[in-house]
Amino acid sequence: MFFRSAGHDLVWIDWDQVYIVYQPSSAETHVFNEVTALILRSLEVGPLSSEEVSEKIEVALGVERGVLVADDLAFATMRLEELGLIERLDSACAAQ
Amino acid sequence: MKPEESLDVTRESDGLSPTADEADISGGVAAPENKRRRLVRSAAALAPLVLTLRSGGVAAASCTGARLVRVGDDGKFSDAYHQTNDVCIVDTPAPVCENHPTTDGFTKVRTEPASFAPVVEDGQGYRCNTNIDLNNKIVAILSSTSATSLLT
């Protein structure tokens, strides 16, 4: 499973590792924690697989590999996709 | 909805006020950094937090993420993203926001005004628990998380 940023501009307010994020495209305001923020920021560079996103988050947070629960990541990516903040790609599209 | 994160904070031994229950974190850390707190995160603390806020006036003007499903002539639909307590918007055509997809898949919908019905399992598929005829129509499904945020 691959994901990429949907490319929408967001307004971020950093509030001591909790992020208040305004999404102008939908006029919605979200609250993200550091892990969710790292998901979005890791995908800004380019498409990544779920495993690559997990790895980047764990490295950024300085925790052991495998600590990030796959189901938790799946929930977050599903919700972020629903909000239109990231897009899901099949393997062929991600390889291009 | 995922719980907010909690952090276990373990202070590095700085030699100034040692106590028996302080953790001794060894490693190649420079002397000034020994005095900083380090965060030791548990798996629970790594749970991503994704909340969407609502306020009355904004809710009326906003578009929120949803997915469109095609209801069959038996009133059922398939949904690979189904979660317990998902909600149907039973208005048809689905209130898709301008310039967003109107075919199966993720899109953005207006949630006010809108009429809702719970999604229920029905054999191998799902249906909107309503008397409104949705057969052969495109219906918007709000995830339980999204629907919950509408109530705040």
Side-chain angles (χ1 to χ4, degrees):
Chain A
M1 193 82 63
F2 284 80
F3 299 94
R4 69 180 175 192
S5 170
H8 293 299
D9 290 333
L10 300 173
V11 180
W12 293 77
I13 296 177
D14 182 347
W15 194 10
D16 193 18
Q17 294 188 338
V18 171
Y19 300 91
I20 311 299
V21 181
Y22 178 68
Q23 183 180 358
S25 61
S26 65
E28 293 174 304
T29 301
H30 312 292
V31 179
F32 299 152
N33 65 359
E34 190 174 11
V35 176
T36 307
L38 286 171
I39 293 173
L40 289 170
R41 287 172 176 165
S42 70
L43 293 175
E44 286 175 356
V45 178
L48 294 173
S49 67
S50 302
E51 293 73 24
E52 289 168 328
V53 172
S54 286
E55 183 176 356
K56 284 189 177 293
I57 292 170
E58 288 161 347
V59 168
L61 295 177
V63 299
E64 291 182 3
R65 288 288 292 124
V67 174
L68 184 60
V69 178
D71 284 351
D72 288 344
L73 180 65
F75 163 79
T77 52
M78 190 279 290
R79 184 66 182 135
L80 292 173
E81 184 180 6
E82 186 177 53
L83 293 171
L85 296 175
I86 66 174
E87 295 172 342
R88 188 181 301 251
L89 305 171
D90 59 32
S91 303
C93 290
Q96 293 178 356
Chain B
M1 189 176 292
K2 293 294 182 181
E4 292 189 3
E5 64 175 345
S6 60
L7 302 174
D8 295 322
V9 178
T10 304
R11 178 187 289 279
E12 287 193 28
S13 173
D14 55 17
L16 298 178
S17 56
T19 59
D21 58 353
E22 279 191 1
D24 179 20
I25 300 175
S26 60
V29 181
E33 294 179 291
N34 287 340
K35 300 178 182 178
R36 287 188 304 170
R37 288 180 179 225
R38 290 183 66 189
L39 299 176
V40 178
R41 299 176 192 263
S42 65
L46 292 181
L49 175 67
V50 185
L51 295 176
T52 299
L53 306 179
R54 289 282 186 268
S55 66
V58 174
S62 68
C63 291
T64 195
R67 53 192 187 275
L68 297 178
V69 298
R70 185 176 298 276
V71 179
D73 54 14
D74 58 355
K76 297 182 186 180
F77 57 90
S78 58
D79 187 1
Y81 297 99
H82 173 75
Q83 293 178 315
T84 305
N85 296 324
D86 281 353
V87 171
C88 296
I89 296 180
V90 297
D91 305 301
T92 56
V96 177
C97 298
E98 191 176 347
N99 300 322
H100 284 81
T102 57
T103 56
D104 305 18
F106 285 104
T107 189
K108 293 276 191 179
V109 297
R110 297 183 306 279
T111 55
E112 289 197 13
S115 301
F116 305 102
V119 174
V120 296
E121 289 192 46
D122 188 341
Q124 296 290 331
Y126 306 94
R127 65 169 63 245
C128 300
N129 192 18
T130 177
N131 293 324
I132 298 172
D133 181 7
L134 300 174
N135 292 4
N136 301 307
K137 294 180 180 171
I138 302 285
V139 172
I141 307 295
L142 292 177
S143 71
S144 58
T145 305
S146 182
T148 300
S149 71
L150 290 174
L151 300 177
T152 59

